[in-house]
Amino acid sequence: MKELKVYNPATNEVVKTIQYTSEEEANQQINKAQVAFESWRERDAHDRSALLLKWYQLIEEHKEELAELITLENGKPYKEALGEVAYANSYIQWYQEEAKRIYGKTIPANQKGKKIITDPFPVGIVGAITPWNFPAAMIARKMAPALAAGCTIVCKPALETPLTTIRMVELAHEAGIPEDAIQYVVLSGRDAGRIFTESPIIQKITFTGSTPVGKQLIKSSADSVKNVTMELGGLAPVIVHKDADIELAVNQTIATKFRNSGQTCISANRIFVHKDIEQDYTALLTEKVNALNVGNGIEKDTDMGPLINQQAVEKVIDQIEDAVEHGGELSLSIEQLKLGGNFLKPVVIRHANLEMKVMHEETFGPIAAVMTYDDLDEILKVANDTEYGLAAYFFTNDYRTGFDIYKKLDYGVIGWNDGAPSAAHAPFGGYKESGYGREGGIEGIEPYLETKYLSIGNM
Ligand code: NAP
């Protein structure tokens, strides 16, 4: 049986060795999910809700254990990992409640004696694929609404971080959710993508990850017209207007930029600051960024952990070198920011411009590139000039300017004076090549439901 070693990105030591799932086993699991679907969909919504509540409570009881697992396999600081468990669990809590609020409606008919009603039904068996950057949250955002809607689900976590998912699924079983209703497979993305999309049983693919992989999955889902939800990459702009509260803008930029070492899909990628305040903003940003303590996430005083692997380190260094070649000024020299292993010190780049890779490519690392602007309308066009449309941020204290920017930004998630907009009760998702479908909020259960309507005559 093939083995998978899960490494700690802080030490490069093996955290645990687990078994891969074979293709035959994966197909058997999908068959079992189909059988489980028949009874899970028939359970009444209050019953499903009660089981999800029990699961939520067990995760709360095991939050320290889960947070430690996240830190060990992903590298993020323990306090951030604990925050991720709470955030992941808030989706389970939200959809535990939403399970009871899946409503149909009555549509006025155009003939006497006729009645039209609609009802949402579960879409079927779900195949879920998730990335390593939020090992608990990305999967909770899929498992909770799928189960609440009456679907059964087979999850494929990233091979860097499968341990958190495995533990969450075990806790779901302990809570009483049937074992075949929620399962995991340990497969490479390529294999899971092929098995899920070729399966005649799986009705829905829900994916969080990079845009190129999302496009492949959309293409291979087309043959059997599977229902798909795509949460893909981002290139978030931050606009700091001249009337912004500079300290607030700096603190919130740090929150969005350096969480998880900058490895989030909604991390600030391009920071546009009005020329009148650029000097003050950058000075304060640099001071605070220099104070961030980089180290092993398991240590209590760590603010920022390592990157996930060497490939990620190399990509970030490449973007920094490219920025320097194009006139960027670094807050630390390249030699100073390399700390060895997968660790990098966070860096601020002044005099950023549109020639730089960092202004066009998703960074997934601790670089804050700051470019100045003069005209707000011009910079809004620059902010929108990308194939991505996931998250965007802006800072202004003027409400007219604020609503105008909100209206003009072509992004799905927007933070106004807010660097942490994501919440279980709000619909998260992107425009353009950042994907389609929403996770969170009342909208987040819709991808797991099909609407049926019934027309009754002769009443
Ligand atoms: P990735 O390479 O796309 O991997 C994500 C998942 O897809 C992993 O489980 C991976 O499996 C799997 N995968 C890889 N190739 C596949 C294929 N051919 N078919 C099916 N699945 C495949 O992305 P990543 O680099 O790990 O994650 C970072 C990306 O995710 C960034 O672009 C980020 O913006 C995006 N993201 C988006 C959101 C959102 O909500 N919009 C949230 C978080 C992250 P392996 O284990 O084999 O690699």
Side-chain angles (χ1 to χ4, degrees), residues 129-134 138 141 156-160 187-190 192-193 207-211 213 216-217 231-234 264-265 362 364 390 428 434 439:
I129 300 179
T130 50
W132 46 264
N133 61 348
F134 288 92
M138 295 303 100
R141 296 202 312 198
K156 177 264 177 292
L159 293 181
E160 290 88 346
L187 290 168
S188 72
R190 199 175 291 276
F207 173 72
T208 300
S210 61
T211 295
V213 172
Q216 282 177 34
L217 281 170
E231 294 286 353
L232 308 178
T264 91
C265 53
E362 196 178 21
F364 251 55
L390 187 57
F428 185 102
S434 289
E439 291 186 333

Side-chain angles (χ1 to χ4, degrees), residues 57 82 174 178 246 261 322 331 340:
Q57 288 163 341
L82 209 49
E174 212 177 294
I246 293 179
S261 309
D322 171 80
S331 56

Side-chain angles (χ1 to χ4, degrees), residues 238-250 253 271-286 350 370-374 376 394-397 417:
V238 177
I239 297 173
V240 187
H241 201 44
K242 57 186 171 189
D243 62 358
D245 174 333
I246 293 179
E247 188 164 5
L248 173 88
V250 166
T253 305
I271 304 171
F272 304 113
V273 183
H274 192 274
K275 64 176 182 27
D276 293 356
I277 57 165
E278 187 270 340
Q279 219 160 7
D280 291 345
Y281 171 90
T282 316
L284 188 59
L285 180 69
T286 306
R350 283 190 78 186
V370 181
M371 174 174 146
T372 53
Y373 74 88
D374 188 8
L376 183 58
F394 64 88
F395 295 87
T396 172
N397 279 337
N417 293 339

Side-chain angles (χ1 to χ4, degrees), residues 25-97:
E25 285 167 338
N27 282 315
Q28 282 166 0
Q29 287 182 245
I30 293 169
N31 286 335
K32 285 182 184 170
Q34 185 180 31
V35 175
F37 176 59
E38 293 313 318
S39 49
W40 183 247
R41 72 193 299 193
E42 290 302 325
R43 306 266 289 244
D44 87 57
H46 291 257
D47 192 14
R48 286 201 297 262
S49 167
L51 291 171
L52 284 166
L53 176 60
K54 181 76 188 131
W55 185 26
Y56 164 80
Q57 288 163 341
L58 281 177
I59 288 178
E60 176 61 23
E61 279 169 30
H62 290 80
K63 62 184 176 195
E64 283 93 3
E65 178 200 342
L66 286 164
E68 196 176 316
L69 265 185
I70 293 174
T71 298
L72 287 177
E73 62 180 354
N74 163 283
K76 70 178 67 174
Y78 177 77
K79 59 191 170 198
E80 221 178 284
L82 209 49
E84 184 187 338
V85 177
Y87 172 65
N89 217 10
S90 68
Y91 283 88
I92 297 175
Q93 184 184 36
W94 175 265
Y95 287 108
Q96 168 262 317
E97 291 161 349

Side-chain angles (χ1 to χ4, degrees), residues 28 75 87 225 263 282 338 360 372 375 385 417 438 449 451:
Q28 282 166 0
Y87 172 65
V225 196
Q263 302 170 112
T282 316
K338 284 183 187 168
H360 299 282
T372 53
D375 184 273
D385 186 18
N417 293 339
R438 294 292 181 267
L449 296 166
T451 298

